[in-house]
Amino acid sequence: MMVRIAAAVLGLMTIGACTAPPAVRPPASDAATRTVCFASQPPPQWTGPATRLPDGVSVGVHAVGGEVAFGQSQDATGRGVAALDLLSGRLSTITRYKPEVSGLGALAVEEPWVVWEQLDSKTNLADWSVHAVNRKTGESVRVADSHGPGGFLPGQQPLPVLRHGLVAWAQPVRTTGTALHAELRVLDLARHSTRVLDSGRLSSPVYAGGLLVWAKVDDATRYSLRAVDESTLEPVELPEAIQRPSSVAYLGGSADRLVWSSGDALSLEQWDFTAAKLTRYTSADRSHPFQFLQVAGDYLLWDGGTTASVLDLTTGAAFDTPGTVAGSARWIVNARPGSVVRVPVAGLPHLSCPG
């Protein structure tokens, strides 16, 4: 958990630091607004089938692909990146960390490839690297790192994403001036070729609605969302209603939804590509910042730093859950002490606010 808290602080710096945030724009007339409410405990339908973990083994989930959950594991022999078969309960190791590695920051999967960012130092948050492993062939690729001429590169730890064998991430680059800059890079894992799609003050990208989407801030601290087709990487114009958000910290997405949190991570906006509808969610407290966002069906999954949480995007009702949570179009997976719970996305009853 501590690794993700560190990454969150750096992530907010890239977009929001160095200048005052812009005034919040008034809600669009066609945008719904909901206040997020939290239940005291997860509803009983979310118990799901549980996969018991071996004694002395702990797992944190970061992503789900097919019937497999991926994340960080720890046992008596050490820590590393692992894959947990949700049907058989078999846990396999993808890589073992070297002793100096602090832990996992972010992970993306599209079989056979698994891509992750890790902190390579227990004392220096600026020391990180991004890796990819082909689980079928065993091929390993060092995608990126924070080493540059003159020392470590300033800027956020990237949150890499993966689709069609293309890894996309915001790579910090050294520039003159005080603002932190990055290049939006895309690595083709088959061809070992890299393209730069954008540069400047950028967020980490996300795949949503068949697009690769990222946020950018101009010199006047105006935010914009930009996109390319996820397959061709050709520019795509987003709907006018979401081109100019008031601020952006984190992005999340699925085949039909794009979500982003505000610069202070206390509010959330969702664009439904199918319904062409914008919805805003406001948090009633400061203990659930919207960061490290994942969308699974009608649900938003996120890590607020002290707990994992689940939000029903159709109702605004939410709950906290022990451990870590990750999801896909088919499954929501919750890794708890001693077990991992798998909940099918399809057919889940919607959550409602208490009272």
Side-chain angles (χ1 to χ4, degrees), residues 125-200:
L125 294 178
D127 188 359
W128 52 260
S129 56
V130 179
H131 305 263
V133 166
N134 186 313
R135 293 218 303 156
K136 183 177 294 185
T137 66
E139 179 184 359
S140 177
V141 178
R142 189 178 181 92
V143 175
D145 57 50
S146 60
H147 301 267
F152 293 107
L153 297 167
Q156 72 175 21
Q157 302 154 17
L159 307 177
V161 293
L162 174 65
R163 189 69 53 85
H164 308 302
L166 305 175
V167 184
W169 76 102
Q171 172 69 38
V173 293
R174 199 180 303 278
T175 62
T176 58
T178 57
L180 301 175
H181 281 247
E183 290 180 346
L184 184 65
R185 297 181 182 178
V186 177
L187 169 65
D188 187 320
L189 289 167
R191 296 179 173 84
H192 298 278
S193 61
T194 302
R195 288 180 59 178
V196 176
L197 301 183
D198 200 358
S199 63

Side-chain angles (χ1 to χ4, degrees), residues 161-334:
V161 293
L162 174 65
R163 189 69 53 85
H164 308 302
L166 305 175
V167 184
W169 76 102
Q171 172 69 38
V173 293
R174 199 180 303 278
T175 62
T176 58
T178 57
L180 301 175
H181 281 247
E183 290 180 346
L184 184 65
R185 297 181 182 178
V186 177
L187 169 65
D188 187 320
L189 289 167
R191 296 179 173 84
H192 298 278
S193 61
T194 302
R195 288 180 59 178
V196 176
L197 301 183
D198 200 358
S199 63
R201 296 176 60 191
L202 310 177
S203 74
S204 287
V206 68
Y207 284 108
L211 307 172
L212 178 65
V213 184
W214 65 97
K216 187 171 186 176
V217 184
D218 65 18
D219 293 338
T221 323
R222 292 175 300 212
Y223 290 75
S224 62
L225 290 175
R226 302 190 174 194
V228 296
D229 181 275
E230 69 175 25
S231 299
T232 66
L233 303 183
E234 291 300 315
V236 173
E237 185 175 2
L238 289 167
E240 185 177 357
I242 63 172
Q243 289 179 7
R244 289 286 185 178
S246 57
S247 62
V248 179
Y250 289 87
L251 293 162
S254 66
D256 53 6
R257 285 181 167 92
L258 172 69
V259 297
W260 63 94
S261 58
S262 58
D264 60 8
L266 297 180
S267 63
L268 183 83
E269 298 192 59
Q270 174 202 229
W271 177 255
D272 186 322
F273 285 97
T274 302
K277 180 181 178 182
L278 182 65
T279 306
R280 295 193 177 92
Y281 305 82
T282 59
S283 178
D285 60 54
R286 292 181 171 270
S287 61
H288 295 88
F290 292 110
Q291 55 188 20
F292 305 108
L293 311 175
Q294 293 189 37
V295 180
D298 291 335
Y299 297 90
L300 175 77
L301 322 174
W302 81 100
D303 178 357
T306 58
T307 184
S309 304
V310 178
L311 167 66
D312 187 331
L313 291 166
T314 67
T315 65
F319 64 87
D320 295 334
T321 184
T324 56
V325 64
S328 67
R330 294 182 60 191
W331 300 106
I332 295 175
V333 177
N334 182 198

Side-chain angles (χ1 to χ4, degrees), residues 49-51 53 57-74 80-95 104 107-111 113-116 135 294 301 324-328 330-336 339-343:
T51 300
L53 297 173
V57 175
S58 63
V59 172
V61 293
H62 282 67
V64 181
E67 306 291 339
V68 183
F70 298 83
Q72 180 172 282
S73 68
Q74 181 171 349
V81 180
L84 175 68
D85 189 303
L86 297 170
L87 298 180
S88 69
R90 180 175 177 269
L91 186 67
S92 57
T93 299
I94 296 173
T95 188
L104 185 64
L107 184 146
V109 60
E110 186 185 60
E111 295 279 26
W113 288 100
V114 180
V115 177
W116 71 93
R135 293 218 303 156
Q294 293 189 37
L301 322 174
T324 56
V325 64
S328 67
R330 294 182 60 191
W331 300 106
I332 295 175
V333 177
N334 182 198
R336 305 171 181 177
S339 67
V340 176
V341 174
R342 182 188 75 216
V343 181

